[in-house]
Amino acid sequence: MIIETLLAVTGLAALVTFLVPDEYAGRAAAVFSVLPLLGSLLLWARFNGAGNALVDGDVAFESAAPWMTLGGYKVQWFVGLDGVSLPLVVLTTVLTTLAIISAWSAIDERQSQFYALILFMETTLLGVFTALDFLLWFVFWEAVLVPMYFLIGVWGGPRRKYAAIKFFVYTNIASLAMFIAFVALVLAAPVETFSLPAVAAALRGEQIAGFLGLTPDLLRTVAFVAMFVGFGVKVPIVPFHTWLPDAHVEAPSPVSVLLAGVLLKMGTYALLRYNFTMLPETAAALAVPIAAVAVVSVLYGAMLALAQEDLKRIVAYSSVSSMGYVILGLIAYTLYGVGGATFQMVAHGLISGLMFMSVGVIYHATHTRMVGDMSGMADRMPVTTGILVAGAFGYMGLPLMAGFAGEFFVFVGSFGSTTLPFAPIFTAVAMFGIVVVAGYLLLAMQKTLFGPFRLDTDYEVHGAPLRDTAPLAVLLLCIVALGVAPDLFFGMIKDAVGPILQGGGL
Amino acid sequence: MAAFDFAPLIVLLPFTSFFVAVAAAIWRPNILPKGGALPGIAATAGSLLVSLWVAVEVLGGGRTAETVYVWSTGVGDAPELVFSLLLDPLSALMLLIVSLVATLVHVFSLGYMNDEDETGLPRYYAGLGLFTASMLGFVVAGNLLMAFIFFELVGLCSYLLIGFWFREAGPPSAAKKAFLVTRFGDYFFLVGVAGVFATFGSAAFAGPESFPAVAEAALTGEASVRTFGFGTQTWFSVLGFLILGGVVGKSAQYPLHTWLPDAMEGPTPVSALIHAATMVAAGVYLIARIYGFYALLPTVLAAIALVGGFTALFAATMGLVKREIKQVLAYSTISQYGYMMLGLGAGGYVAATFHLMTHAFFKALLFLGAGSVIIAMHHNEDMWDMGGLRKRMPVTYVTFLAGSLALAGIVPFAGFWSKDEVLYEALVHGLGGSPILLAAYGMGLVAVLFTGFYTFRMVLLTFHGDPRTELARNPHGVGWNVKAPLVVLGVLATTAGFLNMVPVHELLGFPPEYLHDWLAHDGGRSAFAGLTSEHYGELLHDWAGYSTVELSAILPGLVSLGLALLGAGGAYALYAGDDPEEHTEKLGAAKTVLYNNYYQDEYQVWLTDSVVKPLSRTMDTFDQGVVDGTVNTVSSVSLFSGRRLRRIQTGVVSNYAVLLTLGLTALVLVVGVLGGWFA
């Protein structure tokens, strides 16, 4: 019942926060959000799962209850964790608490609604990462969109309506494609349940029937592509990425933190759970186009980041680039490849969170995010600058920070993959992203942080207060801790991805 | 093996000083006396002591290669990734060099930074501490991954310290360039690391499971590895070239040398420590560290020798015309690392290591000497504003002269013996049947002439003649903290060459060639037999096809000495007077080309500004117009067309909530009906 408690407490916290007067809402939300944070750390400490939850593994904190029957198909309340989902749960709770604290400075209207929506979104995110029944999972998956829609649409920048609608419609259409594809698979498979382990076992093991005139193989391929695109929009992969910069630019910084830090990981998590776990042979057959999508996402995203003048757009496009590594690692189907991809989800969540948060702190002080509007911020905001520089180097994959671990695992895993033809070439080309990312981040830092102080918006700039810098420092510590000791998460990740691997390589 | 138990302290002590300085910089900037210098000095001196202890242990036959920390546990075939400690003669020697120079640079910084009332000292000492720790970590690294990790960390420290004066425009730009250019090289290195893991399943340096040992076994057919469709040696050569990319970047070899002269924007002690004696040496050291791998690969060796010989000559020519003292030294550094590459490529493992050591001493000395001059000149670095400083700064002059004699390669100073041995190795292996090595040797030999010239041009312009400006007439005094490191390094620059006097040994039969002996043996531990110069000699003979001719070391030594003296004499003839002229104008167009560094910087700037950036902007336009344009077009002709969208945008929160819920329900219903759930 521990996961139910976690969800209930978080959801209740959202309700209570909604009723708290605006001036106390931020503090209250922060205190409330510590409860799921502690809960997730407790889950981590007492984690006793083994293997992959979908492939004969021992699911940790498993809890199931019948919910309803739809046309002979059993729908359950079914939650549990394994080594893939637990790190994402911890990521969610850590980032939510820090995002709430960072919102104290950034949000100054309708606070109780804002914080309630953040906590509500946390509830749904935790649901996405813990649900093991498809319909239950889908309810959470769709429910995440609601708070995010309002968070962008109400508290966002000048074009917030456009960005919010674009985000909502785009991801919703993608969800529709994915939903239909998956349901078609379930209907074709010899199962009478939406339980993900059961469906996975059926799809991996047994022959499925045709559906609506499609042969089984064609059905698998069509469903795979539909789900890949459906989840890929969320990741996002090129060319389905254009909602992301708009959403980020308009979203307030704390929301960007959660959008980049956790919401994008829903896409890669779902790809891992559905496409790559349930349809491994189809994935292997499509390995070359998938790897091409990964490589294009890495390099195209990085080149777009180089062209941007808005700090937030730079970080937004760099997310496209970083998530490309995740796709590359997944298609490698090796321990370090798939494990590294999962680790990279957490690492990128923390690092992009840190970047958006520090850009938010600078924006709050300067009221601009344009690279050309400022220089020499290091002189006035030394601590923020120091952390931003550290975070940027984390993004560039500086060793002993989490990003390097994630990327290196992916590279080692994908270089020798036997599932992916021409694996060394794909890997080497994708790795060139580490040069481009250094280029645009170093350039942006040189222009904004260093040199003589100048600010075109003429605001008086002071060092950021502790409540702004403390969340940054905590995130930085987490990033370094995971970089020095990746096995904190990577140990359980390796255990959980082992059962879904195929082919050879490291 | 007590000393080896304490070996991790060599890395951890400077790391602690970094930590202390960072904490101070954040919370109480004034709490540390001397801005954090004292913890730094104590830590590096501690590292030096432990390094000495380790060296004694190694001298007694001690060797170790042990895992100290498991970074990622292995599962099945997937290897574990570890931090491991490799202590053998090569790493013990390098530990001594790095910790000694680091200690001296910390002391010197008291004079260069503290006494000059610089602000931000805790940040400075934090950078130095982190650099020292990372560099020492790189030196003791027992596998390629750990080496890469610290290779990147020293790059970070270099970035932070070059950009130390971040309020000015120049240093941040130079810092960016340094990191970016070396990162370009590191990209190839990282691909190489991934490739080594994928090929061998291990990246360890020492022992029978190490990748050089497995590579050798694979070539003899005793082991099988994945070669990705290539021939075994071809694939190994590909890996060798990839790793070489990192080396070329870090050791500032052509064509990735352009960052080093710009790096002189950093404080001079930083130039001495990072951009002359140690970090730049990391590339060369890496080749020496995995020489058992490179010795199998004649193609790569030839490329290393050629790049080295060319860089030695190419950089030396640019040093001929520079005005700033640190610029001369920067190009000289590039050139000298070229010699080390030449030595390694030519099969002169000991010679290259020897030159690495002597160069660390005399180039650190020259940079610190230049630092002393720069203090005296109130931070004016232009040699044409100096002159006559010899009488006013005798300690600096004498030690600088010792360093210059070593750099130019004048007997009996340290640089003569080591550079001479590098050239000798290239010559005998070249005559043994390798025209490429002979070509590289030829370039190295011509560079000797230029080295003699630019070195003494620098000495004469700085210290001799009449003072040419008011600054030079009344220089600022320097304290003990500046002079003491100069004296220590001056003694080393004079005497370090006696460790390995090959021609003298040949002539007299004594003294022993200590360095050859030091690097030759495995201390009776067969697990380390693969890391000895004896073994490398066999590999070079068996796999690279290197052979030598019987040739006395004396005549080649005299030739290079003669060229060095000729170059020095030329400088004397042109610049010895009380009031020397700028002869560089007589070079005409050649001077412009040299002064502009063969337009290598322009070419790289053009590449980024006129190719990459416009390309990225074009892609951005494409992305906004075509990719996003498609999305917007599709959405505007779809159900959610603009007008309808506006109608449902009522702004009332509950309306949206109802809409969303209805949408979701409709979705489930449609699929449910399609799937016959309600039948």
Side-chain angles (χ1 to χ4, degrees), chain B residues 380-401:
Chain B
N380 181 339
E381 298 181 13
D382 189 336
M383 294 190 294
W384 287 100
D385 291 342
M386 298 177 187
L389 291 173
R390 157 172 64 127
K391 297 185 188 107
R392 289 162 187 83
M393 337 181 52
V395 175
T396 304
Y397 173 65
V398 171
T399 51
F400 196 88
L401 190 62

Side-chain angles (χ1 to χ4, degrees), chain B residues 90 93 97 288 344 348-358 515 519:
Chain B
L90 182 66
L93 176 70
I97 296 169
L344 288 166
Y349 167 74
V350 178
T353 310
F354 186 28
H355 197 53
L356 171 60
M357 177 184 77
T358 61
L515 198 65
L519 293 171

Side-chain angles (χ1 to χ4, degrees), chain A residues 431-501:
Chain A
M431 283 171 74
F432 197 72
I434 70 167
V435 178
V436 189
V437 67
Y440 61 77
L441 286 180
L442 289 172
L443 190 67
M445 288 199 292
Q446 183 204 339
K447 284 184 178 169
T448 57
L449 302 180
F450 306 125
F453 176 78
R454 173 179 62 80
L455 179 61
D456 291 353
T457 53
D458 290 330
Y459 279 84
E460 191 72 20
V461 177
H462 304 287
L466 186 63
R467 67 183 196 188
D468 285 354
T469 53
L472 301 178
V474 171
L475 263 186
L476 185 58
L477 282 180
C478 294
I479 291 165
V480 172
L482 275 187
V484 173
D487 269 354
L488 286 176
F489 281 148
F490 199 46
M492 64 175 73
I493 290 174
K494 278 179 284 198
D495 181 51
V497 302
I500 65 170
L501 303 180

Side-chain angles (χ1 to χ4, degrees), chain B residues 150-424:
Chain B
F150 287 109
F151 205 72
E152 287 286 290
L153 289 178
V154 292
L156 166 74
C157 301
S158 167
Y159 171 86
L160 294 175
L161 287 165
I162 293 171
F164 177 72
W165 286 304
F166 63 84
R167 288 178 184 85
E168 297 161 27
S173 171
K176 176 194 67 179
K177 182 173 177 184
F179 194 86
L180 204 51
V181 174
T182 51
R183 173 49 79 106
F184 184 73
D186 290 353
Y187 158 70
F188 295 99
F189 184 10
L190 188 59
V191 177
V193 176
V196 165
F197 272 107
T199 306
F200 302 104
S202 158
F205 292 153
E209 305 292 317
S210 68
F211 75 90
V214 176
E216 190 188 343
L219 286 178
T220 57
E222 291 163 31
S224 74
V225 295
R226 283 187 67 190
T227 57
F228 296 91
F230 291 91
T232 309
Q233 203 168 26
T234 314
W235 176 244
F236 291 171
S237 296
V238 170
L239 293 177
F241 275 117
L242 286 169
I243 297 170
L244 189 62
V247 173
V248 168
K250 210 63 130 195
S251 285
Q253 297 296 291
Y254 181 84
L256 300 183
H257 62 281
T258 51
W259 64 272
L260 187 72
D262 288 34
M264 298 300 130
E265 292 275 2
T268 306
V270 169
S271 309
L273 176 63
I274 301 184
H275 304 117
T278 61
M279 184 189 84
V280 188
V284 171
Y285 178 80
L286 181 67
I287 297 188
R289 186 72 282 176
I290 54 173
Y291 205 64
F293 186 62
Y294 279 111
L296 304 169
L297 310 169
T299 326
V300 189
L301 283 178
I304 293 173
L306 214 53
V307 166
F310 178 73
T311 307
L313 177 59
F314 178 72
T317 58
M318 291 185 275
L320 296 174
V321 298
K322 297 295 170 193
R323 296 179 67 95
E324 283 94 9
I325 186 166
K326 279 178 78 179
Q327 288 295 310
V328 178
L329 290 174
Y331 282 100
S332 137
T333 303
I334 298 173
S335 172
Q336 296 297 308
Y337 279 102
Y339 279 111
M340 292 171 220
M341 295 283 280
L342 170 60
L344 288 166
Y349 167 74
V350 178
T353 310
F354 186 28
H355 197 53
L356 171 60
M357 177 184 77
T358 61
H359 175 262
F361 296 143
F362 70 69
K363 192 52 67 66
L365 167 63
L366 287 171
F367 266 110
L368 293 186
S372 170
V373 167
I374 291 167
I375 299 174
M377 293 291 295
H378 297 272
H379 294 262
N380 181 339
E381 298 181 13
D382 189 336
M383 294 190 294
W384 287 100
D385 291 342
M386 298 177 187
L389 291 173
R390 157 172 64 127
K391 297 185 188 107
R392 289 162 187 83
M393 337 181 52
V395 175
T396 304
Y397 173 65
V398 171
T399 51
F400 196 88
L401 190 62
S404 299
L405 289 163
L407 170 61
I410 310 290
V411 77
F413 291 86
F416 168 76
W417 305 104
S418 55
K419 179 156 61 183
D420 188 51
E421 196 180 336
V422 164
L423 288 172
Y424 174 72

